[in-house]
Amino acid sequence: MTLLTVNGEEVSLDLPEDTPLLWALRDELRLTGTKFGCGIAQCGACTVMVDGMPRRSCVTPVGTLEGASVETIEKVEGPEAKAVQDAWTRIDVPQCGWCQSGQVMSATALLRMNPAPSDEDIDNAMAGNICRCATYVRIRAAIHDAAETLEG
Amino acid sequence: MTKQSRRQFLASSAGLVIGVALPLKGHAQSGAAAALGDGTLSEGAFAPNAFIRIAPDNTVTVLSKHIEFGQGPYTGLATLVADEMDASWDQIRVESAPANDELYKNLAFGLQGTGGSTAMANSWMQMRQAGAAARAMLVAAAAEEWGVDASTISVSAGEVTDGTNRASFGELAEAAARQSVPVEPAVKNRSEFTLIGTEVPKVDSRAKSTGTAEFTLDVYRDGMQTVVTRRPSVIGAKVASFDDSAALEVPGVVAVRQIPQGVAVYAENTAAALKGREALRVEWDMSEAETRSSEEIFAEFSRMAESPGVVVEEEGDSAAALESAETVHEAEFLFPYLAHAPMEPLDAVLEVTGDKAEIWMGAQFPTADKGAVAQVLGLAPENVTMNVMLAGGSFGRRAQPSAHIGAEVAAIAKATGGDGAWKLVWTREDDLTGAYYRPLTVHRMRGGIDADGNITAWEDRVVNQSIMEGTPFDQGGADPTSFEGSTKMPYDLPNRTIDWIKATSPVPVLWWRSVGHTHTGYATEVFLDELLEKAGKDPVQGRLDLMRDDAGRDRAVLERVAEMAGWDGTKVKGDRAYGVAVHESFETYVAQIVEVSDQGGMPRVHKVWVAVDCGIAINPNVIAAQIEGGVGYGLGTALFNELVLGPGGEVLQKNFDTYRMLRISEMPEVEVAIIESEADPTGIGEPGTPPIAPAVANAWRALTGTAPRKLPFAQAGA
Amino acid sequence: MRRLTLILALLAAPLSAETVNGLRTVEEFDGMEGEDRSVALFEEVLKVVEHPRCLNCHPKGDSPLQGDAMEVHQPPVVRGAADFGAPGMNCTTCHGAENVAFVTGDGSIPGHEPWQLAPESMAWVGLSGAEICAQLKDPERNGDRDLAEIHEHMAEDGLVGWGWHPGEGREPVPGTQEVFGELVKAWIDTGAACPAG
């Protein structure tokens, strides 16, 4: 039994400790916005925040999360998340959309740590998120756009 | 046909049935409503045809007969309808149409399906007429209600008015449903378009940015089990025997069953299913497997390429022309198997209740998968309901004449022998080792140049497996998807022979974003570039000079891209080199110029200029996005990807650590220009992909002296 | 007694030295003296230090390496200001407190708390044994450690120790951390001599 907080609510997970957080979120909590793409931390589709830091949920056993606070795409909040999601919509970033929850989470994490990232900062933060549709040009533009929104 | 018949077919100018309207008391009972079953049309709603539903709350729902996996048909089809209806874009919603070949067939295929970059092209008139019919019925309803002549009524941004009275579509829905359906509704002149040609926001961007868009993997049913199948790592191997004792010990694993596709592990959740599958021990029967390595297959295909094949295009006498040529240039190009690797691995959910079944999946040929479920389970097809879901990418992978996913999930259900619900999950490992690859291909090229620098001979021999053979698309004879693009080149090349040798293998092959053009674009545009260089010609002017008189659209995109890139004939400037390629696919013309530098022995692509002619640009923003994506997809593949069959045939690349995807740090800047056109729209999902690899290779040759004879640039394992 | 056993072992099989998981123990060097012995001990230490498990996170430049072939880390990651990755993609975005076996196939993702790159001053990739030796002893380039602290780091640090427990799909470094620590200590005790060149 693991006790943790997910999107601000206390949750107890009665699952084997090696169950990846990804599948606990999806199968147990039905938080399906977090996506499965590779299972080996290569694609970033499963990115969530754990204690405020971005984390690949596919390689995060629930047994390591006792007392942790998890934030998923369904409830990611704050000015950075809003600016990112608005920019994503405005610039029509998504194509198939499967990777975009993870992209949004990584971009949000970046902007929380660095509100005015350069192209290089964006590449460094986002290189772990694969987009097979190659929406990268727009991801970069949308992060800059979100940064401008945050600047006000 | 009378205009006022109670029951009539709404026909397009091409004479194709586009919808059935059965106005009953109070409601127009459309084919869509029938297909969707009772209760889907709310009280007072209006469904003028199979594609449109107008609700009293003033929303207009467009039913998309094409699956949405990022290429934009939801937005594009809705734009056509909304424009002809004079709807407001804000009131437009889009849903997937159900599986129904009669109502929702792709007019280019004759059955329901998405592929070949046909979504907008085949729907262009159909959806506009559907919208125009709805508009006419709304106007007729208003005229009746207000007691005015229909000619006095105008519609704009979703508002119907005669100058005095005003009504929304929702307010008129019930009355409109009582109107007769116009037989040949007039569509707008192009000058009257209000939405077509504008960049209306995509209908799915918000949901896909907030995690709320629902895909197949997101479907959960009561009591549903998750199932993963152990498949062979050598393609074509069959289960000889298996030991499930350890798998059944895994908490949460419910059952293990052999199915035709392998050994299926049923569990209470995905994690348990995966753990159970890892604990399975399976012995494989290799008698029907492809046990050759890629290296052996390449060697075999190269040997086959030494003998002539079936001539698929010929002009003059290439052999004699080569004999008399001043310079003969030869090249053999090798193209590996490629996986599509959509970000959402394949999946399906199936629920069986008595003699009925319901399936949820991202099916590109939904009636095929629906049929497979019916067949495997022994159900009447009309008792199987197909929900076509948003799909996390496809690139051709979900366009399955084999319906193998429908068949697999049905086999999973059948093996239990009862009612229930099952979610079939493929992992990335299943995806990459699961075949249906872009065919491994060899091109053997020979060209001749005379003393004046004219190209006097051109031979292109293609060796690969057929994609279409044995599918409903098989038309007998040579399979055009094997060599399309090697034929019908825009250049006037006298003494030309294109021939094809059909190879065989147990490895299933499939169309992969731009199909034959994935390799023909490279072989032809790299080889031509080399011939031009040997002839002392400029890559851009040399191509323009060779273009046939009827290749005006090819010429226009090439001239445009040269202008965008400031092409002045200089192939190398400092550490940057420039390469060009032009290639038509799916009746869309694309030219690209790339700027490349050498980064540790690999091309680093900084900038790509693209000119595209896809007819009327329905949504320039979506077109640009598809070009950007097509460039990235083709570039990552050219740089990194080879699906290698190793010794004994084992697939060596099992996940993204070894089958490497292009990442944001490797994505070039892409500048897109769309040629103004009055021609009917053509495809945009695929045509951005073929030119990028040859353009990069041509720039690389300018920089280093050689263009790769085998793709990818980075050899696997090197 | 141990000595006798060793001699007997040597007599029985003169070509097979006394090793623990491929790393010779300190006793193996008892026949040597002075600087030669110290250098020989260091060269044994290098069997660990120059193993891909160690070198991959002591890279030259900005990118860690991975795998026995020491290829550039995928996904591409950068050192960052704190040798801990870039804002938005730190090492801990993927690497947890322990190795985690993949659930979809073979292999695992390595983990330890903390998980980070050695500072750039401690880059080993591309260095000769002599250069690594000099770096190890140079407080300017070894994190301001004296030799006792170097020993402590080698013998006790958990992230160093990860090299012997690298998780499914990775070859561990030779020996054990205990034997390695003893070798380092013996090297220091014999004057911490460096190989020539």
Side-chain angles (χ1 to χ4, degrees), chain A residues 15-16 18-20 23 26-28 30 32-40 42-43 45 73-74 82 85-86 88-89 91-101 104 122-123 126-140, chain B residues 69-70 201-202 204-206 208-211 213 215 217-218 220 269-271 274-275 339-345 391-393 395 426-429 512 621 624-626 628-629 632-633 637 641 655-657 661-665 667-668 670:
Chain A
L15 293 167
D18 61 358
T19 303
W23 297 112
R26 293 183 57 86
D27 289 350
E28 297 301 310
R30 302 287 162 87
T32 55
T34 304
K35 300 303 189 198
F36 165 64
C38 71
I40 63 166
Q42 280 290 331
C43 80
I73 185 74
E74 282 84 358
K82 183 175 186 321
Q85 289 176 322
D86 288 350
W88 245 243
T89 309
I91 294 175
D92 281 324
V93 171
Q95 289 187 26
C96 86
W98 189 256
C99 73
Q100 298 296 348
S101 295
V104 164
I122 292 170
D123 281 0
M126 304 300 293
N129 289 82
I130 292 170
C131 174
R132 188 62 167 144
C133 303
T135 62
Y136 299 128
V137 171
R138 285 162 194 251
I139 288 172
R140 203 177 284 147
Chain B
F69 39 62
K202 289 175 75 178
D204 48 351
S205 289
R206 187 74 197 172
K208 288 175 174 177
S209 304
T210 53
F215 298 82
L217 201 69
D218 306 335
Y220 287 80
N269 57 56
T270 316
L274 292 169
K275 211 192 279 189
H340 306 70
M343 284 308 290
E344 179 188 20
F395 316 109
W426 278 43
T427 60
R428 184 58 56 198
E429 288 83 356
W512 183 106
N621 184 43
Q626 285 307 296
E628 293 158 13
Y633 195 83
T637 303
N641 292 152
N655 208 318
F656 288 145
D657 52 344
M661 299 289 103
L662 190 83
R663 295 183 182 273
I664 192 171
S665 47
M667 182 73 194
V670 182

Side-chain angles (χ1 to χ4, degrees), chain B residues 667-700:
Chain B
M667 182 73 194
E669 186 188 338
V670 182
E671 186 180 325
V672 181
I674 302 167
I675 304 284
E676 288 275 333
S677 173
E678 289 295 307
D680 284 351
T682 51
I684 200 58
E686 299 170 272
T689 298
I692 185 66
V696 172
N698 291 338
W700 190 246

